[in-house]
Amino acid sequence: MNEIRTFSSPEALAGAAAAHVVAVAREAVRARGRFSVALSGGSTPRRLYRLLAGQPFASQVEWAGVHVFWSDERCVPLNHPESNYRLAEYTLLRHVPIPTVNIHPIDTALEPEQAALDYEGKLRQFFAGQHPDRGLQTATADFDLVLLGLGEDGHTASLFAEAHQATHKTERWVIAHYVDRLSSWRITLTPAAINAARYVTFLVSGANKARILQRVLRGPSQPEILPAQIINPTGGQLLWLADADAAQLL
Ligand code: 6PG
């Protein structure tokens, strides 16, 4: 079930998102001793990450128990302006006392398919540890939180319509695919990984997202052209956080 919360401005949206991240993090650390989050890229989460790096939010998080992953990544060096890792590192991670070993970037120095396999192996190791009775292949991607954005074409993470065949049915957790319209390779969590999370939260901001948000949430089910519609957590909570501009057609 889609829960949608709207906020008066991008600043109010970011503040609510920060409070949500802190609440999920505190619940996870209290219940399981750690909080695993997959961060989204793009520009929308920038304000959120900056808020989490400052007060009051930063001191409310037990950073020693936080493990940071990425929902997707561009196949560029981690210090490249396009890197999703770089976005989070500059706006959040360098400002909080999170142990370096708890920061798990996608290794974009590898060839794209190798990077995807490498990241999936790291994820399986990380999550299999939570259930010693399960093997690496029977582990589930039990992220506490996956943060996502929404592209104007209906993509999310780096799940683009042109890769629908490769992404929507696979049991893989991480795949690489070449995005023709961007003329670039992307690495992304798959729906199988995202939908296993306890919380999946979309952040959508700006009038330019109003039409696509209406199509994704109120229009017919067309996951083959609107990948964001494939996101439907198996047992977790799906939450849409949007500002008034983005939600104006709902
Ligand atoms: C990426 C993101 C992507 C993003 C959307 C929205 O790597 O670009 O993961 O899915 O969330 O494209 O991007 P904006 O926040 O910049 O609108």
Side-chain angles (χ1 to χ4, degrees):
M1 210 285 267
N2 285 337
E3 180 182 350
I4 306 160
R5 297 178 195 162
T6 59
F7 300 90
S8 57
S9 66
E11 293 75 18
L13 168 64
H20 172 63
V21 172
V22 168
V24 177
R26 293 171 68 86
E27 173 197 3
V29 171
R30 191 170 43 245
R32 291 174 293 280
R34 68 183 189 182
F35 168 60
S36 55
V37 57
L39 299 179
S40 74
S43 56
T44 302
R46 187 184 297 271
R47 196 175 262 116
L48 163 62
Y49 298 160
R50 287 206 176 101
L51 278 182
L52 288 171
Q55 300 310 332
F57 299 108
S59 58
Q60 295 172 3
V61 176
E62 294 167 78
W63 293 102
V66 176
H67 285 266
V68 170
F69 300 87
W70 275 263
S71 308
D72 70 319
E73 187 56 283
R74 292 82 179 277
C75 291
V76 296
L78 295 184
N79 62 356
H80 188 283
E82 285 292 303
S83 164
N84 289 338
Y85 163 83
R86 182 180 184 272
L87 166 69
E89 207 286 326
Y90 271 55
T91 55
L92 172 58
L93 301 176
R94 64 172 52 188
H95 305 291
V96 293
I98 182 171
T100 306
V101 294
N102 289 17
I103 300 173
H104 309 276
I106 295 171
D107 185 352
T108 57
L110 298 172
E111 288 302 307
E113 180 54 27
Q114 279 307 311
L117 290 168
D118 173 75
Y119 207 54
E120 176 155 340
K122 287 170 179 169
L123 287 175
R124 288 184 178 274
Q125 288 279 359
F126 180 82
F127 288 112
Q130 277 180 189
H131 304 284
D133 56 318
R134 294 186 200 162
L136 291 182
Q137 290 314 312
T138 52
T140 47
D142 298 328
F143 283 106
D144 293 299
L145 175 61
V146 174
L147 290 173
L148 296 173
L150 178 65
E152 292 185 50
D153 59 358
H155 81 264
T156 190
S158 284
L159 300 169
F160 290 84
E162 60 203 73
H164 180 71
Q165 287 311 317
T167 58
H168 76 301
K169 283 274 188 258
T170 182
E171 288 307 308
R172 287 278 301 275
W173 291 6
V174 187
I175 62 160
H177 72 93
Y178 187 79
V179 184
D180 289 326
R181 76 187 74 176
L182 300 175
S183 304
S184 64
W185 280 89
R186 290 288 188 94
I187 313 284
T188 186
L189 292 184
T190 62
I194 296 169
N195 286 334
R198 286 184 179 80
Y199 291 88
V200 178
T201 302
F202 280 88
L203 261 64
V204 189
S205 175
N208 63 317
K209 301 291 177 73
R211 182 84 186 88
I212 192 61
L213 187 60
Q214 181 198 42
R215 285 185 62 197
V216 168
L217 292 180
R218 299 284 187 260
S221 175
Q222 301 173 293
E224 68 285 354
I225 58 173
L226 300 175
Q229 290 185 335
I230 306 174
I231 304 307
N232 186 16
T234 313
Q237 182 210 47
L238 176 57
L239 176 60
W240 291 81
L241 302 179
D243 63 21
D245 283 346
Q248 63 183 286
L249 299 179
L250 294 185

